Amino acid sequence: MPSTMLVVGPKLGVALVVLTLVAAAVVTLGKLGHGRQVIGAAIRAAIQLGAVSMLIAVIVVSLWATAAFVVLMCAVATVTSGRRITGGGRGWWAGAPIVGGSMLVVAGLLMAGLVPPRGIAIIPVAGILIGGAMTATSLAGRRAVDELTSRRGEVEAALALGLLPRDAVLLVCRPAAGQALIPALDQTRTVGLVTLPGAFVGVLLGGASPLAAGVTQLVVLVGLLAVEAVAVVLTVELVARGCLQPTMSRAGH
């Protein structure tokens, strides 16, 4: 039985280049404005995965190195979401929903004994949960900020009626930001029918039974729902309090 899902060789490299160029071309022709970003993201992914692949064997043997790598993942996720929401400035506030959501669940899984205290187990679980928190934070933050900008008049009307600034902003932003949970909800609802996510496939290829793989994936999916729910709530709260908004939005808040 092959040890991987893909045949590694020159054809794989060519396929990756072709897929990247196709994605960039479609985005460019569709005038979506992210053609260069598609190519840049693919190149960065190749470099970063190559580096991690070489370092991971060293990292997982030490809990200190594992903890440092988890901190690095949180920091990169914070910078990524912060830039996506605020464009810079006080984007470091994005770390609150990312760390608060993901580390709460990771700590709970460790204390319950469901994830063994070993680097080889902690890093993939933490990576999945941090990635989910980052995506939810970026989506919720962007939706909240966009809604606040386009519906500024409604916020001002709510203030005129006597609502506190935080409550006026939440009234406008909360429903839109809640849509950030839709990808996680859809993935959980359709797992096994539409997709077989990475944790399931990875555990299965590692030699575990299909039942064990299914249970592992279920824990990951439910954990992601909890992580992203916390991340969305905290993100909306930070936007409402003016902590996680672009400079111009805060000035008009």
Side-chain angles (χ1 to χ4, degrees), residues 29-235:
L29 293 174
K31 298 181 180 179
L32 301 180
H34 296 285
R36 291 184 179 180
Q37 293 183 34
V38 168
I39 295 176
I43 293 173
R44 282 188 59 173
I47 295 172
Q48 290 163 188
L49 285 173
V52 170
S53 298
M54 291 186 288
L55 291 173
I56 197 71
V58 177
I59 294 171
V60 296
V61 298
S62 166
L63 284 179
W64 287 109
T66 296
F69 191 72
V70 171
V71 170
L72 176 62
M73 287 193 288
C74 288
V76 173
T78 297
V79 171
T80 302
S81 281
R83 287 178 177 173
R84 185 68 65 186
I85 298 168
T86 69
R90 305 200 325 171
W92 56 269
W93 276 103
I98 291 172
V99 175
S102 60
M103 292 301 100
L104 183 66
V105 174
V106 170
L109 293 174
L110 284 170
M111 287 188 292
L114 296 174
V115 173
R118 298 196 304 270
I120 195 65
I122 294 172
I123 287 179
V125 172
I128 293 171
L129 297 179
I130 293 169
M134 178 185 70
T135 300
T137 298
S138 296
L139 290 175
R142 280 308 320 162
R143 290 304 303 269
V145 169
D146 290 346
E147 204 76 357
L148 182 59
T149 301
S150 63
R151 298 172 62 185
R152 172 62 61 182
E154 294 180 44
V155 175
E156 294 175 352
L159 292 172
L161 291 174
L163 268 70
L164 295 174
R166 170 184 172 274
D167 296 331
V169 173
L170 286 176
L171 187 66
V172 170
C173 294
R174 186 179 277 154
Q179 295 182 31
L181 289 174
I182 290 177
L185 289 170
D186 286 348
Q187 183 183 29
T188 305
R189 287 171 178 157
T190 61
V191 65
L193 299 177
V194 178
T195 61
L196 292 177
F200 179 88
V201 176
V203 172
L204 202 59
L205 290 176
S209 67
L211 179 60
V215 170
T216 301
Q217 184 61 65
L218 181 60
V219 171
V220 169
L221 287 174
V222 175
L224 273 172
L225 282 177
V227 165
E228 295 191 22
V230 172
V232 169
V233 169
L234 290 179
T235 299

